[in-house]
Amino acid sequence: MAFWLFKTEPGCFSFDDLRNCPDMTEHWDGVRNFQARNFLRDQVQVGDRVLFYHSNIPEPAVVGLAEVVRAGYPDFTALDPDSEHFDPKASPQNPIWYMVDVRYLEALPRPVTLERIKTNPLLAAMPLVSRSRLSIQPVTADQWHMILSMGGMKTP
DNA sequence: GCCAACGTTGGC
DNA sequence: GCCAACGTTGGC
């Protein structure tokens, strides 16, 4: 089982939105960056755990946890001309873009702000600190447990 | 709203 | 294949 950090703008899709989905499950679609796409297509597996991060707001933060319930498959929004994520280069034969499905797990008792992440030397290696634009990022087990601890969650 | 970082595109 | 121009992201 691997760990990831998924970024989203809460004005577009928030952690509360995920909780309010049927079965608390939703497609993670719309990723249009090749490095992030490669993670979704090749590495993200069912059962992997996800830090749910809110970006582009006054206080960006990890707000909760989710789990992957379906591994990478073609992102059909790229084929839909009415979708804002439509990509004319994508086709059923060559979907180009991939998505996974995620399910809500639980909110952190205390969101872990980017500011706290940046000031924790043990988290300096997180891509979030140096490569903030990458929307799908791997997280190490140590980083995962540190974030959960900072978020007020008991971890074994 | 600004701007730095960085990814993508396209001319050559 | 290089690199300048351009577009997007996201912190502030």
Side-chain angles (χ1 to χ4, degrees):
Chain A
M1 182 184 72
F3 301 108
W4 303 94
L5 183 146
F6 286 11
K7 277 189 318 183
T8 176
E9 300 188 27
C12 178
F13 183 73
S14 72
F15 195 52
D16 277 345
D17 292 335
L18 179 62
R19 189 182 57 194
N20 292 326
C21 283
D23 298 328
M24 296 186 178
T25 299
E26 186 54 285
H27 312 304
W28 200 271
D29 59 25
V31 171
R32 295 294 180 269
N33 166 280
F34 284 105
Q35 191 174 359
R37 185 283 307 269
N38 292 347
F39 285 133
L40 292 179
R41 186 189 58 187
D42 304 332
Q43 293 189 237
V44 177
Q45 296 298 326
V46 172
D48 285 0
R49 297 301 163 102
V50 174
L51 297 174
F52 199 109
Y53 178 83
H54 282 167
S55 68
N56 245 321
I57 51 174
E59 198 162 68
V62 176
V63 293
L65 312 180
E67 72 173 326
V68 177
V69 294
R70 183 172 176 185
Y73 63 106
D75 179 347
F76 51 73
T77 65
L79 304 174
D80 176 5
D82 294 328
S83 169
E84 61 179 324
H85 301 302
F86 176 65
D87 182 348
K89 293 179 188 164
S91 68
Q93 293 73 31
N94 179 26
I96 304 180
W97 305 112
Y98 285 74
M99 61 184 177
V100 301
D101 292 355
V102 297
R103 181 192 293 143
Y104 179 97
L105 279 181
E106 56 189 315
L108 290 177
R110 183 184 177 203
V112 181
T113 62
L114 178 61
E115 183 180 22
R116 291 173 66 208
I117 292 172
K118 288 168 72 174
T119 53
N120 185 331
L122 299 176
L123 298 177
M126 290 188 75
L128 197 62
V129 176
S130 54
R131 299 222 25 225
S132 67
R133 290 184 55 189
L134 186 60
S135 60
I136 304 288
Q137 310 185 355
V139 172
T140 68
D142 285 347
Q143 291 162 353
W144 173 269
H145 292 301
M146 175 61 70
I147 295 282
L148 265 55
S149 168
M150 292 167 73
M153 281 191 50
K154 307 262 191 290
T155 59

